[in-house]
Amino acid sequence: MEEPRIGVYVCWCGTNISKMVDVEAVTNEVKALPNVTIAKNYKYMCSDPGQDLIIKDIKLHNLNRVVVAACSPRIHELTFRTACEKAGINPYLFEMANVREQDSWVHTDRTEATNKAIDLVVAAIRRVRYHEPLQKRFVNVNPATLIIGGGISGLTAALEIANAGKQVYLVEKSDQLGGQVKKFDLTFPHLSSAQQMIRPIVQRVDNHPNISVFLETEIGEVTGYIGNFKTVVSVNGEDPVELEFGNIIAAVGLKPFNPEVISEYNYKEFPDVITSFEFEEKLLAGRILTVYGKEPRNVAIIHCVGSRNKKYHEYCSRVCCMAALKYVHQVRAALPSANIFEIYADMRAYGKGHEEFYALTTHRQIMFLMYDQQKKLPVINQADRSDNCNMIIEMDELLSGQSIEVPVDMVILMVNMEAQENVKQVVRAIGVSLCGNQFFIEKHPKLDPVATTTGGVYIIGTCQGPKDIPDSVAQARAAAARILGAIAQGSVPIEVTTASVNELLCCGCQTCIGVCPYKAISYDENNKVSIVNEILCKGCGTCGSACPAGAIISKHFTDLQILSEIEGVMSMS
């Protein structure tokens, strides 16, 4: 191996790093270390001038290794690897030290933070000496796409891809397309018809020559890898159909929370206590009537049913407040003389035009009543005959500080949106993960919100988390654009920092097969050893840490590299 010639670059990150870390001191400390040919600092290493500085130094000083001390590798590791590649050295002969998130942002003592930064940079220098060049690999992309879920986001993605002349397989578990939007009467904040919006989209999908729709169908096992996936679907007991496709979009959406578990609301016991989705059915039918066939004189709308409560779901469902305000306009239009009560915990008017919609709604002759979500929920009781109403809501009203009774004939529960029943089946099939709220986990919440850690698998719409129609449509088009870009290229790069098995050391215990989250390892019965499919492997290292024989090596994370890094951290202490 050639003698390492390392260039070290310490980023100021404006004041994000330099305010707490003495970057000049760090630079001066490491420039005298063995194999360090040059050490510099710059205000923004990720900027074009910062990258040009690295490229010029590589060529001028014949560098063959580069270390950058800056922010998280998740943000700019690819940026600096690309710069190294432009200068003619292998991108994996680069190492990044995180002196922002792991140092300057979490310390208050500048001297201690500077010393820690030196330790982290020394560790990176020690490690990069043992880096080995890795070569990029590519796989061809099947131009067909599988979309799971026929709601607004799935339909939008399907049309985007199909209109580009590519085949789409659209799988929907119910007997019709349209998802939750098809159940709505109007949309907020403009009170435009949801039906007039969704019906033409469904028709275009049904009639599109490049879209094959599979209704009442659920996905079983999906095999393969990015660019080359396979699955088998069966519709209504007919002969199974094998599908081959290069990318997957999960758009399975969310479902309404069942409020029966909240005893205070007596849902199902009182027939005129209904969910927001049941109220939408009345709106679509054209009449707002109680179970007795009468127009309600008093209508209450209770927010956050199953949301933002530790007993049920702690997250906000995001669309409920605006939907509740939408109902005010619809009730007022249908029942001009009705009394309307908005019983809320907090009013969240997030989104374009939503705050204005909230302000407009306050002029519709309604009463806003606030309750404490954590201390005491409103309680719905049967009214006495003398009360001149069907039910009474007892609540502690926060704004007035009084316990009050609200007369109602109909109660609309703004129910939480939660994960589908089959969500675990779907994630197992396509190889992605769920967060604690059972939402699909994206590759990066800010920089890559529609991709997942499984190559070729994208998540869009509410299955990633509650959101409204515009955000769902935007995600659908973003994922479609990513997929069409990969199809246009014809091939996509795959992970190169994968695991490999030393067959001389492998004892055939198959421990690695059981722990691999990507199903990338199989057992060779003839040779009695485990084999890694390096196309499926994501280089997570789980198998390497579990192997009792030490037979598995994770490329770019070898024992020598990791131990050298640890020694580097300890060497300056």
Side-chain angles (χ1 to χ4, degrees):
M1 186 176 74
E2 62 180 338
E3 184 70 17
R5 295 179 58 80
I6 304 170
V8 180
Y9 302 87
V10 184
C11 181
W12 291 49
C13 197
T15 58
N16 279 294
I17 294 173
S18 61
K19 184 178 180 179
M20 191 53 59
V21 173
D22 186 341
V23 293
E24 295 286 356
V26 175
T27 306
N28 291 331
E29 185 71 31
V30 302
K31 67 170 48 176
L33 294 176
N35 301 119
V36 174
T37 302
I38 189 169
K40 294 182 177 180
N41 58 77
Y42 188 70
K43 194 165 187 177
Y44 292 104
M45 286 305 307
C46 63
S47 66
D48 287 341
Q51 294 177 59
D52 288 340
L53 179 64
I54 295 173
I55 294 170
K56 290 176 182 176
D57 283 349
I58 290 173
K59 295 177 178 179
L60 181 63
H61 299 282
N62 197 28
L63 304 179
N64 55 27
R65 302 283 193 283
V66 171
V67 169
V68 174
C71 56
S72 167
R74 294 189 68 181
I75 298 175
H76 280 305
E77 183 175 56
L78 181 60
T79 301
F80 296 119
R81 280 183 177 175
T82 303
C84 291
E85 196 169 22
K86 287 180 180 178
I89 68 172
N90 189 279
Y92 291 93
L93 299 178
F94 163 81
E95 180 63 15
M96 197 164 180
N98 184 350
V99 296
R100 190 178 72 176
E101 286 85 345
Q102 294 181 0
D103 189 6
S104 67
W105 279 2
V106 294
H107 289 286
T108 55
D109 186 307
R110 196 165 194 263
T111 301
E112 291 297 323
T114 300
N115 290 336
K116 182 177 178 179
I118 293 170
D119 289 342
L120 292 172
V121 176
V122 171
I125 292 169
R126 290 284 189 95
R127 186 191 205 282
V128 82
R129 284 195 290 183
Y130 299 102
H131 279 200
E132 298 173 352
L134 301 176
Q135 302 306 317
K136 290 183 178 180
R137 294 179 298 156
F138 295 84
V139 294
N140 293 330
V141 177
N142 184 321
T145 300
L146 173 70
I147 299 179
I148 309 170
I152 185 66
S153 54
L155 295 173
T156 301
L159 286 172
E160 289 289 318
I161 296 170
N163 287 340
K166 308 304 177 185
Q167 177 65 47
V168 173
Y169 302 116
L170 180 58
V171 174
E172 167 58 41
K173 72 173 183 176
S174 71
D175 61 355
Q176 59 182 344
L177 298 175
Q180 303 294 0
V181 176
K182 198 166 187 177
K183 303 174 184 178
F184 301 157
D185 179 30
L186 302 180
T187 62
F188 57 80
H190 305 298
L191 301 178
S192 54
S193 171
Q195 300 303 308
Q196 291 179 11
M197 175 184 69
I198 196 69
R199 281 175 185 161
I201 296 174
V202 171
Q203 289 172 358
R204 290 204 298 273
V205 168
D206 279 333
N207 298 324
H208 205 293
N210 293 330
I211 302 177
S212 298
V213 178
F214 299 88
L215 297 177
E216 297 181 274
T217 304
E218 294 191 43
I219 289 296
E221 183 181 12
V222 177
T223 59
Y225 46 87
I226 180 172
N228 298 272
F229 292 107
K230 289 182 181 179
T231 193
V232 175
V233 298
S234 181
V235 185
N236 293 328
E238 297 177 4
D239 292 337
V241 179
E242 183 176 85
L243 305 178
E244 297 184 359
F245 41 91
N247 291 277
I248 302 170
I249 295 178
V252 299
L254 298 174
K255 69 177 181 67
F257 170 79
N258 184 348
E260 285 186 76
V261 296
I262 305 179
S263 59
E264 290 89 342
Y265 296 151
N266 285 302
Y267 176 68
K268 292 296 186 184
E269 183 175 341
F270 298 153
D272 285 314
V273 177
I274 60 177
T275 69
S276 47
F277 282 80
E278 291 167 339
F279 186 62
E280 290 284 357
E281 293 175 7
K282 293 181 180 292
L283 295 171
L284 288 170
R287 296 291 300 276
I288 301 175
L289 301 174
T290 67
V291 72
Y292 305 108
K294 297 181 179 180
E295 293 183 344
R297 289 168 295 179
N298 304 285
V299 178
I301 305 169
I302 300 181
H303 292 227
C304 293
V305 178
S307 296
R308 304 177 58 231
N309 190 308
K310 292 181 180 179
K311 291 183 180 179
Y312 312 110
H313 297 294
E314 293 191 56
Y315 60 86
C316 171
S317 289
R318 228 183 97 172
V319 297
C320 310
C321 286
M322 292 299 100
L325 297 180
K326 176 191 74 168
Y327 292 156
V328 168
H329 292 267
Q330 293 176 281
V331 172
R332 179 60 69 220
L335 308 171
S337 61
N339 297 314
I340 306 173
F341 304 95
E342 285 271 356
I343 301 176
Y344 70 101
D346 285 301
M347 190 65 69
R348 297 188 169 185
Y350 169 80
K352 184 177 181 181
H354 291 186
E355 188 65 34
E356 295 88 338
F357 185 59
Y358 176 25
L360 175 66
T361 308
T362 62
H363 298 291
R364 298 290 282 174
Q365 295 180 321
I366 63 170
M367 184 173 290
F368 286 91
L369 304 171
M370 188 175 187
Y371 71 96
D372 191 321
Q373 175 76 292
Q374 305 305 322
K375 290 185 178 180
K376 186 179 180 181
L377 298 178
V379 179
I380 304 173
N381 293 315
Q382 185 71 50
D384 295 330
R385 289 187 177 182
S386 59
D387 287 327
N388 200 29
C389 60
N390 292 340
M391 297 166 286
I392 294 290
I393 299 177
E394 298 177 359
M395 63 175 291
D396 292 337
E397 208 286 315
L398 289 183
L399 298 180
S400 64
Q402 297 180 344
S403 295
I404 64 172
E405 294 184 345
V406 182
V408 290
D409 301 303
M410 179 180 287
V411 180
I412 305 167
L413 303 178
M414 303 305 300
V415 290
N416 166 278
M417 297 302 292
E418 63 182 10
Q420 303 279 4
E421 298 96 335
N422 69 335
V423 65
K424 291 185 178 179
Q425 174 188 329
V426 174
V427 299
R428 279 196 297 267
I430 63 177
V432 298
S433 302
L434 296 175
C435 71
N437 293 319
Q438 304 290 288
F439 302 144
F440 288 48
I441 297 178
E442 60 285 304
K443 189 173 184 179
H444 191 286
K446 296 187 182 298
L447 301 178
D448 214 348
V450 297
T452 67
T453 54
T454 300
V457 179
Y458 299 86
I459 53 175
I460 62 174
T462 57
C463 68
Q464 187 228 9
K467 55 181 65 69
D468 58 9
I469 294 172
D471 285 354
S472 295
V473 170
Q475 282 197 325
R477 289 188 165 144
R482 292 280 293 276
I483 289 171
L484 289 172
I487 294 171
Q489 289 180 335
S491 62
V492 290
I494 58 173
E495 183 62 61
V496 298
T497 59
T498 54
S500 62
V501 177
N502 184 335
E503 296 185 7
L504 296 176
L505 296 178
C506 180
C507 63
C509 67
Q510 303 181 50
T511 301
C512 53
I513 296 175
V515 300
C516 178
Y518 300 102
K519 301 177 183 177
I521 306 177
S522 59
Y523 186 64
D524 184 344
E525 292 286 355
N526 294 326
N527 296 314
K528 307 298 181 184
V529 294
S530 293
I531 298 174
V532 177
N533 182 333
E534 295 196 37
I535 297 176
L536 292 176
C537 178
K538 302 300 175 186
C540 67
T542 305
C543 59
S545 62
C547 178
I552 298 180
I553 298 171
S554 296
K555 297 174 185 175
H556 204 61
F557 294 92
T558 65
D559 289 350
L560 181 59
Q561 291 165 353
I562 299 299
L563 290 172
S564 297
E565 188 172 15
I566 294 171
E567 290 171 359
V569 169
M570 305 300 294
S571 65
M572 304 299 288
S573 299

